[in-house]
Amino acid sequence: LVQFTEASNILIEWQNAYIKTRSTIRAIYRAANNEDETNPPKPCANFKIGDDDLQSFEFLGHLHLGKKLPGVMKVRGSNKLQTAFRLDREADLTLPTRNIFPAGIPEEFSFVCTFRTRKLTKSTWYILRLTDIEMNPQFVIALNPRKQTVEFSLLNIQGKLQTVIFQNSKVFDKNWHKLHLGLFKDKVVLFVDCQKGSEEMLEERGSLATNGQISIAKLANAKQSVPGTQLIDLQWMIMSCDPTKPERETCEELNKSPLNGASFYKQPRCDVICPRGLPGFNGTDGELGPKGNKGETGPRGLSGPRGYTGPIGPPGSPGLPGLPGVQGIAGARGKDGDSASKGEKGDKGEPGFRGEKGNGGLPGKDGAPGPQGPPGPLRIQIYEELLKLLNASESVHCN
């Protein structure tokens, strides 16, 4: 028990030291980044231009497309180094908005999507659609094949959907394309295959809720109960905190292939020592490798801190009855009680049981003589015999 108590005290001291150290580290971090603990930072609040690989939101990884999902198949991407995911009609790429944006959606950002349309359609479809909890659209990037336009929709300050349209967007074929949007506070800029298109001004913008859903590659006229997925190969989809990122983006992965038919915008060879470029995006997760061999047994680790006091255990089972105790000392005589008044006469009791037979009494006095009784049977017989003898003697005498 003593050892257990010591272990509990040591663990408590260790926990207190850990909490104090962690609090100190957090305080230093907040001071360095000018953060207020009562007002947690918004997404991309500490972003600086050039931090492309530090502040980003990757969509495909949250959808776990590397696993076996209905209507999703892993295929080769725009070149042999790239991996893409083929979406069929039954694929349903929908997930809660908070899964990707737990702290909210950035006010300014860039969005990039690399894809290839497998089956041309005349119906409008959404590359990305973000809805609120009532399934009302808040943020939409749509492709309209009939009008050959890319349409960008976003809530304004009144909570209504404002839409800007980019004309003559050359993405309506079966080639690989890279669609890139830079969203600023007052405008949005479109890049197609790393070539700047037009930019459109925006009304004052409203906030976007994160209590709804995000859908990817959905047909605009699909029913609610049907996935209605556009048939595409999807290679990349990411949002970055830097709205100027499209200006530095390259399309080297869109190289010459039988489907593309041309080489896309390769940078000219540099005859001088070129400055090092910005870090690229993280690649998609690769396939799970084979299980490695069992490693060697490592050295014995240091003794861990003593364990803490455990919770009180459940009640035990009842014990056996104890031995009788020693007879106690007789108590002192109590005080006499108060005299009671005489009660009323009770009712007559029931007859008692018959008593036992008593012993014989003493002889009584002689009584007076009684009257003569009748002759008994023996005297009569004697009398008759005497009478016969008398008669016989008389007869002898006469003779």
Side-chain angles (χ1 to χ4, degrees):
L1 181 60
V2 173
Q3 293 179 347
F4 189 76
T5 303
E6 292 178 355
S8 176
N9 294 334
I10 291 174
L11 180 60
I12 292 173
E13 292 177 0
W14 181 84
Q15 288 177 334
N16 292 337
Y18 170 74
I19 293 172
K20 184 177 180 180
T21 303
R22 186 177 62 178
S23 300
T24 303
I25 294 174
R26 286 182 174 177
I28 294 173
Y29 178 82
R30 288 194 299 268
N33 292 278
N34 296 321
E35 291 184 8
D36 184 358
E37 189 174 11
T38 60
N39 297 313
K42 297 180 180 180
C44 301
N46 299 321
F47 165 75
K48 297 178 181 178
I49 293 179
D51 292 345
D52 296 338
D53 202 39
L54 299 179
Q55 301 258 343
S56 60
F57 305 89
E58 206 271 322
F59 289 80
L60 304 188
H62 285 85
L63 290 164
H64 304 292
L65 298 185
K67 299 180 180 180
K68 291 184 178 180
L69 297 178
V72 180
M73 181 175 61
K74 186 180 292 188
V75 296
R76 174 179 166 168
S78 58
N79 60 38
K80 63 181 180 179
L81 300 178
Q82 301 294 330
T83 299
F85 298 96
R86 179 159 294 174
L87 309 183
D88 290 331
R89 292 292 186 201
E90 62 270 21
D92 187 11
L93 304 190
T94 302
L95 77 165
T97 305
R98 286 196 178 101
N99 285 16
I100 299 180
F101 303 103
I105 301 171
E107 185 177 12
E108 293 185 319
F109 57 84
S110 65
F111 172 84
V112 61
C113 178
T114 305
F115 69 96
R116 176 178 66 179
T117 303
R118 292 172 39 231
K119 183 177 180 180
L120 299 180
T121 178
K122 294 184 179 181
S123 300
T124 300
W125 61 281
Y126 305 131
I127 289 182
L128 182 69
R129 180 180 59 183
L130 188 150
T131 60
D132 60 16
I133 194 171
E134 297 179 351
M135 300 303 294
N136 298 315
Q138 302 183 104
F139 172 78
V140 179
I141 301 174
L143 269 63
N144 188 332
R146 289 182 181 273
K147 298 181 179 180
Q148 301 282 294
T149 57
V150 174
E151 301 172 358
F152 179 85
S153 302
L154 188 68
L155 290 182
N156 62 14
I157 193 66
Q158 287 82 25
K160 296 182 180 179
L161 206 64
Q162 59 174 318
T163 300
V164 296
I165 299 175
F166 297 95
Q167 303 287 347
N168 301 321
S169 301
K170 298 180 180 180
V171 293
F172 299 97
D173 52 36
K174 293 185 177 181
N175 297 329
W176 282 102
H177 292 289
K178 195 170 189 177
L179 192 67
H180 218 146
L181 287 163
L183 178 65
F184 298 82
K185 292 182 179 180
D186 57 351
K187 66 180 180 179
V188 58
V189 184
L190 174 68
F191 288 74
V192 175
D193 298 333
C194 300
Q195 296 296 301
K196 184 177 180 180
S198 60
E199 61 180 58
E200 301 291 337
M201 302 304 295
L202 295 172
E203 302 173 11
E204 187 177 359
R205 290 159 46 191
S207 60
L208 303 179
T210 58
N211 57 4
Q213 294 182 336
I214 290 177
S215 300
I216 297 173
K218 295 290 183 182
L219 293 171
N221 58 358
K223 296 181 180 180
Q224 198 75 8
S225 58
V226 179
T229 299
Q230 170 66 12
L231 303 181
I232 64 171
D233 288 345
L234 186 59
Q235 179 170 293
W236 192 247
M237 183 177 288
I238 193 170
M239 184 180 289
S240 170
C241 290
D242 186 2
T244 66
K245 183 174 175 58
E247 300 172 6
R248 305 185 302 275
E249 189 68 19
T250 64
C251 289
E252 292 182 354
E253 72 273 23
L254 303 181
N255 58 355
K256 184 177 180 179
S257 67
L259 287 174
N260 287 348
S263 180
F264 279 85
Y265 315 115
K266 290 187 178 181
Q267 291 182 342
R269 181 177 177 179
C270 187
D271 295 329
V272 296
I273 299 176
C274 299
R276 183 174 181 178
L278 296 172
F281 293 123
N282 292 329
T284 55
D285 295 337
E287 297 180 359
L288 185 65
K291 183 177 180 180
N293 298 326
K294 184 177 180 180
E296 298 179 357
T297 303
R300 183 173 181 176
L302 299 176
S303 299
R306 295 178 182 271
Y308 57 90
T309 304
I312 299 176
S317 56
L320 298 175
L323 299 175
V326 180
Q327 183 175 358
I329 303 173
R333 185 176 183 273
K335 296 180 180 180
D336 294 335
D338 297 333
S339 58
S341 60
K342 185 176 181 180
E344 298 179 358
K345 184 178 181 180
D347 297 333
K348 184 179 180 179
E350 298 289 336
F353 297 103
R354 184 175 180 179
E356 297 180 357
K357 183 178 180 180
N359 298 326
L362 298 174
K365 298 180 180 181
D366 293 340
Q372 183 176 354
L378 181 58
R379 293 184 65 185
I380 294 175
Q381 185 178 358
I382 296 172
Y383 178 77
E384 288 177 353
E385 290 295 329
L386 290 175
L387 185 58
K388 287 179 181 181
L389 291 174
L390 182 60
N391 288 336
S393 66
E394 289 181 354
S395 295
V396 172
H397 181 72
C398 286
N399 292 330

